[in-house]
Amino acid sequence: MAVLSVAAALVSALLLQRYLQTEPFASSFLCAVLFAAWFGGAGADLLAGALAVLAFIYFAAAPGYSFAVAQTEIPRIVIFTIAVLIVIWLSAAQRAAATSLRRARDDLQAAVLKREALNKTLQLEHEALAMAQAELAHVSRVATLGEMSASIAHEVNQPLGAIAANGEAGLRWLARDVPQTEEAIAALRLIISDAKRAGNVVGRIRELARKAEPEIARLDINELVDEAIALVKREMLGHHVTLELQLAPGLPLVRGDRIQLQQVIINLVINAAQAMATVVDHTRVVTIQTQEHEAHDVLVVIRDAGIGMAPESLDRLFSPFYTTKPEGLGLGLSICRSIVEAHGGQIWAARNAGPGMTFKFAIPAPVQSD
């Protein structure tokens, strides 16, 4: 490449000198050096530069066609040599810049591919984490239902017992010498009402126990509290705990999954009742309060009168596997936090001025568009 480019430059310069009476040796040789640098690389660049200087001395410098150079031509040769070196240096710099640019491009492409792979991995890990959290929440609900088995049995047996009693009463009214149809009809209506009540209890239990994808809808937080309390009422009686409800009317509808939010309420209420298991010197009371919180949020407050918690434990309260119970797994509050945060809300706890703790969680209540 170097030899061919310098030879081509020499031929073109000789032809131009012969027919146009000009001496384009310097420019032709510099073009040859540049051409060799572009297409031949560093070695061709240096070789073309050396050949160009020799050719310039032999053909362009006086006396001509000789390597014996007149002293008057030395400055001209030096200037040409410097020009050749500058062209070589610029070509080297250009090659270095191009190499750096290609390397940067390759590094960028590799980084993009690596980031895409990382994003895909993170997405898979996020999906796996979400599935694990959902599975853990389901297992926790089932475990909670197991703990409330006595309460559930009572809630189901109560309407079933009423159905049996009203059925017997209806039969007696109809077995009289003069059947009392109005009284029998009233007994049948009570049977239907109690059957619906038992069906509602069983339906809520099935919803809590089943494993299904979250169903996001607009929900009345007070209805969620009432439905949750219906399942834990017997549990509260078993712990000799009084429930106080302070539900603010007219709250905006929140957006979330009914089962998951009920799970949060049930977990916090049962925790509050268990926290007062050793209390003997004052009344065991759990207060559940709902109210608006800041802009477009609904706040649920669950306050107990238990033994409380050390201040240094508050920061770790919602951490996985942290528990203050001897037989606890430390997952209940962690699951509550995961559910609330998945709904775009926040949950926190604070010590009461008196005995006990207060747990609060806020759920967004988006403004309904007209």
Side-chain angles (χ1 to χ4, degrees):
M1 181 65 67
V3 173
L4 289 176
S5 61
V6 173
L10 176 60
V11 171
S12 62
L14 291 174
L15 291 174
L16 290 173
Q17 182 186 41
R18 180 174 180 179
Y19 293 105
L20 298 180
Q21 304 300 317
T22 60
E23 292 188 3
F25 290 101
S27 56
S28 298
F29 289 145
L30 290 176
C31 289
V33 173
L34 190 59
F35 183 84
W38 280 351
F39 298 99
D45 193 7
L46 293 173
L47 179 58
L51 293 175
V53 171
L54 292 175
F56 182 83
I57 294 173
Y58 188 84
F59 292 98
Y65 299 97
S66 173
F67 288 107
V69 179
Q71 291 185 353
T72 56
E73 292 291 331
I74 292 178
R76 187 179 170 207
I77 295 172
V78 171
I79 293 174
F80 177 75
T81 304
I82 293 174
V84 169
L85 293 175
I86 292 174
V87 170
I88 293 174
W89 174 76
L90 291 175
S91 300
Q94 185 270 340
R95 284 194 303 273
T99 302
S100 298
L101 185 60
R102 285 193 297 270
R103 187 180 297 112
R105 180 200 60 193
D106 294 341
D107 291 343
L108 181 59
Q109 290 178 345
V112 170
L113 293 175
K114 185 177 180 180
R115 184 178 182 87
E116 290 177 352
L118 179 60
N119 288 340
K120 187 175 182 180
T121 302
L122 290 176
Q123 182 180 0
L124 293 175
E125 290 179 354
H126 178 74
E127 292 174 356
L129 178 61
M131 292 178 60
Q133 288 178 338
E135 181 71 23
L136 188 59
H138 174 252
V139 172
S140 176
R141 285 200 304 271
V142 174
T144 302
L145 290 175
E147 293 178 4
M148 297 191 304
S149 57
S151 298
I152 293 171
H154 175 78
E155 290 297 321
V156 175
N157 285 333
Q158 208 173 33
L160 292 180
I163 288 172
N166 288 320
E168 292 175 357
L171 289 174
R172 286 195 300 270
W173 288 116
L174 293 174
R176 290 192 172 191
D177 294 336
V178 179
Q180 302 292 319
T181 56
E182 293 294 331
E183 299 295 340
I185 289 173
L188 289 175
R189 287 174 176 166
L190 290 174
I191 290 173
I192 293 172
S193 175
D194 288 329
K196 289 182 177 179
R197 177 184 167 192
N200 289 335
V201 172
V202 173
R204 287 197 295 269
I205 294 170
R206 286 184 60 191
E207 288 182 349
L208 285 170
R210 72 188 180 99
K211 182 179 179 181
E213 293 294 326
E215 297 180 2
I216 305 301
R218 291 189 177 274
L219 306 170
D220 185 338
I221 199 69
N222 289 341
E223 289 183 3
L224 296 182
V225 172
D226 288 335
E227 292 173 359
I229 292 307
L231 294 176
V232 300
K233 189 180 299 182
R234 186 67 183 179
E235 191 76 13
M236 298 299 101
L237 293 176
H239 286 85
H240 306 289
V241 171
T242 302
L243 276 174
E244 290 186 359
L245 299 182
Q246 300 175 6
L247 308 182
L251 293 175
L253 300 181
V254 301
R255 185 170 177 81
D257 179 77
R258 176 182 298 273
I259 302 304
Q260 290 185 353
L261 293 180
Q262 283 184 357
Q263 181 179 1
V264 173
I265 297 170
I266 290 173
N267 281 357
L268 294 179
V269 171
I270 290 179
N271 282 351
Q274 292 175 348
M276 295 184 290
T278 59
V279 171
V280 294
D281 57 345
H282 57 266
T283 305
R284 301 177 183 181
V285 180
V286 173
T287 303
I288 305 176
Q289 180 182 1
T290 60
Q291 63 186 59
E292 289 193 56
H293 177 68
E294 297 179 352
H296 311 307
D297 280 0
V298 172
L299 182 68
V300 179
V301 180
I302 299 174
R303 183 180 299 107
D304 65 63
I307 58 176
M309 186 173 295
E312 58 271 15
S313 300
L314 292 178
D315 293 337
R316 303 173 56 194
L317 192 57
F318 296 96
S319 300
F321 307 112
Y322 177 76
T323 180
T324 57
K325 302 176 184 178
E327 299 179 356
L329 296 177
L331 294 175
L333 291 178
S334 175
I335 292 173
C336 290
R337 183 184 66 177
S338 298
I339 292 174
V340 171
E341 290 180 351
H343 283 74
Q346 55 180 335
I347 185 171
W348 66 97
R351 301 175 67 201
N352 296 338
M357 296 284 296
T358 296
F359 288 81
K360 301 179 181 180
F361 69 91
I363 300 296
V367 179
Q368 299 185 28
S369 57
D370 297 333

